[in-house]
Amino acid sequence: MAQLSTSQKKQKKTFIVLLVAIVVVLAAIAYIVYGVATSHSSLFEDQKFAAAIAKDLGTAPAFLKESDLAAVKYLGVSYDGSETVQVITGGDEFVDKYSEYLAKDEAGEDVSSYDFSDLVKGTTYTYKGDQAPKLDELKYFTGVRHVEISGINVTDSSVFEGMTEIERGSFSSCGLTEVAGFAGLDGEKLVKLVLNGNSVEDWSPLDAFADKVIVSMAYTIVPKEDGTVDFNDSSSWTLKETTLTEYYQEQAAKDDIAAGQEENTDNTDTTDENADNTDANTDTAGDNADNTDAPADNADEADDTVG
């Protein structure tokens, strides 16, 4: 077998190196092309949101299907008002355990032993804009049992009308002005629906489960025994949640007070009117008296003339 010369060996080595380099470059190009091709979701307008959801679900944005999104049982999306959007997803196991946690926490029981780290997936992404992000793509998550949306805008409440499986829902500061999209919720299945931070005037679509709807929330701080207030001591904070039923009662009380004030005003006006009539009658009586005195005065004048 013929031996390769030194020059030929160098050429062979160079060829192998070049071939490897070409393969590496082609692989890199293929990876980039694949990444670009799979990074766009046809379902989502906001591709950053799509990427976050895809990461949580372990797939690429291009492969997201409506059935994948409908299978999500817990969804949390929040915007902190600066530049960060947080996305959290979970399944039935998390929802069951989290519901148990919330029930015990609301009952004042110790919940420090609960750990959900293995049951949820979370991702954050940067958002820059003059207004809060608008995510109408939330409409695809029709299977959620527990959903928490905060600081995220939507076109209107119809975005949420497909979420008929909600047991616990929170839609805080979502720019809502009406709530018709929640009218289809199962009142028996629903535990709590929080809608604080929205500018809603007509709550009537939710009258069927008004006692489970929270329209406003506020914290009050209880002073210590010595009268001082420690804002860093969360144990002194008391959360007041106002249900739709309580809101209606408060509005009825305000209407009663307003009606009473209006009635008092009417009575005052009537009293003033009666007083004016009395004055008018007095003036009329005075005029009549003057007219009665007039003949006598005329008689006196006649006597003076005769005399």
Side-chain angles (χ1 to χ4, degrees):
M1 185 175 180
Q3 296 292 322
L4 294 176
S5 65
T6 302
S7 176
Q8 289 175 325
K9 288 180 179 180
K10 288 182 177 180
Q11 289 177 349
K12 182 179 179 181
K13 184 177 181 180
T14 300
F15 174 76
I16 293 174
V17 171
L18 181 60
L19 183 61
V20 171
I22 292 174
V23 171
V24 170
V25 171
L26 289 176
I29 293 174
Y31 178 79
I32 294 173
V33 171
Y34 175 82
V36 172
T38 59
S39 64
H40 182 84
S41 170
S42 59
L43 294 177
F44 288 69
E45 181 177 342
D46 189 319
Q47 294 304 313
K48 285 189 174 182
F49 183 41
I53 291 295
K55 183 178 179 181
D56 280 3
L57 299 183
T59 186
F63 301 141
L64 286 173
K65 302 187 295 292
E66 289 188 31
S67 58
D68 296 330
L69 306 179
V72 173
K73 298 303 178 182
Y74 172 82
L75 176 66
V77 185
S78 62
Y79 173 58
D80 66 1
S82 57
E83 296 184 352
T84 302
V85 176
Q86 184 178 51
V87 179
I88 301 175
T89 60
D92 281 318
E93 185 180 358
F94 168 71
V95 173
D96 291 339
K97 192 172 182 179
Y98 191 37
S99 296
E100 180 181 271
Y101 163 88
L102 290 174
K104 289 185 176 181
D105 184 49
E106 291 172 356
E109 298 181 31
D110 180 21
V111 292
S112 59
S113 62
Y114 279 83
D115 181 13
F116 306 105
S117 57
D118 295 332
L119 301 177
V120 293
K121 299 287 184 65
T123 305
T124 61
Y125 66 88
T126 300
Y127 169 83
K128 294 183 179 181
D130 296 331
Q131 298 180 338
K134 183 179 179 180
L135 300 177
D136 284 354
E137 297 92 334
L138 293 170
K139 66 183 179 182
Y140 294 117
F141 297 86
T142 55
V144 289
R145 294 170 53 199
H146 192 148
V147 54
E148 296 178 295
I149 310 298
S150 177
I152 302 295
N153 285 341
V154 293
T155 298
D156 54 47
S157 69
S158 66
V159 170
F160 307 118
E161 65 184 2
M163 298 182 178
T164 57
E165 301 299 313
I166 292 178
E167 297 167 16
R168 289 178 179 267
S170 177
F171 302 86
S172 301
S173 303
C174 292
L176 296 173
T177 57
E178 46 73 43
V179 291
F182 300 103
L185 292 178
D186 185 343
E188 294 296 324
K189 185 182 298 183
L190 183 66
V191 176
K192 181 185 290 187
L193 178 64
V194 179
L195 292 167
N196 68 298
N198 296 291
S199 302
V200 179
E201 293 186 3
D202 180 14
W203 293 95
S204 61
L206 310 183
D207 286 353
F209 38 85
D211 57 328
K212 297 180 179 180
V213 179
I214 305 299
V215 299
S216 66
M217 302 171 67
Y219 280 98
T220 58
I221 300 179
V222 181
K224 296 181 178 180
E225 293 182 357
D226 60 1
T228 61
V229 175
D230 183 0
F231 292 96
N232 296 318
D233 181 11
S234 59
S235 64
S236 65
W237 296 8
T238 301
L239 177 62
K240 167 60 178 174
E241 296 181 334
T242 301
T243 66
L244 180 54
T245 299
E246 292 171 333
Y247 170 77
Y248 282 150
Q249 293 171 346
E250 291 175 0
Q251 291 302 113
K254 290 180 181 179
D255 291 343
D256 289 343
I257 292 174
Q261 292 175 340
E262 184 177 352
E263 183 178 352
N264 290 336
T265 300
D266 292 340
N267 291 337
T268 301
D269 292 340
T270 300
T271 301
D272 292 341
E273 184 178 348
N274 292 335
D276 291 340
N277 290 335
T278 300
D279 291 341
N281 292 334
T282 301
D283 292 341
T284 300
D287 291 340
N288 291 336
D290 291 341
N291 292 334
T292 301
D293 292 339
D297 292 340
N298 291 335
D300 292 338
E301 291 178 3
D303 289 341
D304 292 340
T305 301
V306 171

